[in-house]
Amino acid sequence: MKAWHTIRTKFQPGVFLPVLGVCVVLNFAYHFVQGDGGIRALLDYQNRIEKTRFQLDQIRAERQQLEHRVYLLRSDSLDPDMLEERARAVLNFAAPNEFAIVIE
């Protein structure tokens, strides 16, 4: 009870509640900007979504390339050049008139 009396006498009447109100508003404003659901978090989420979409586009393009290569190696649409390329790569074969350059 004495503490309340000290607070009331230290501050001029009518100043304590507005100051308390301003502090509460500033607290809400801070958390609106800096909090887990604030503006900065929203911008961070948007940046992460953009990066993830870019990665997804790259992976989709790579998958389409691989699917095209698999399609060319199927028996119903076998491309002789693709078959020869894969056979040489897997079996380490070369034609007699070709040179092999090893890069390490």
Side-chain angles (χ1 to χ4, degrees):
M1 193 71 165
K2 188 171 185 171
W4 179 252
H5 180 67
T6 305
I7 290 173
R8 289 185 72 194
T9 57
K10 288 271 185 186
F11 297 109
Q12 297 209 1
V15 174
F16 180 71
L17 288 178
V19 169
L20 180 64
V22 167
C23 290
V24 169
V25 168
L26 288 175
N27 185 31
F28 281 124
Y30 172 79
H31 287 287
F32 179 73
V33 174
Q34 299 286 342
D36 292 339
I39 294 173
R40 292 190 71 189
L42 176 65
L43 294 175
D44 184 43
Y45 290 144
Q46 288 175 345
N47 287 338
R48 289 172 54 192
I49 288 171
E50 184 178 327
K51 288 178 185 178
T52 305
R53 283 188 180 153
F54 180 73
Q55 290 175 347
L56 179 63
D57 291 340
Q58 287 181 331
I59 291 171
R60 282 184 178 163
E62 182 180 350
R63 180 182 173 156
Q64 285 180 347
Q65 290 175 350
L66 291 174
E67 284 178 353
H68 180 67
R69 289 181 63 101
V70 167
Y71 173 75
L72 293 175
L73 290 173
R74 288 195 181 133
S75 61
D76 59 337
S77 65
L78 187 60
D79 183 18
D81 292 333
M82 181 64 74
L83 179 63
E84 182 181 357
E85 176 189 333
R86 291 304 305 153
R88 288 175 186 239
V90 171
L91 301 174
N92 291 326
F93 284 151
N97 60 350
E98 293 179 342
F99 294 103
I101 299 174
V102 179
I103 301 174
E104 294 182 18

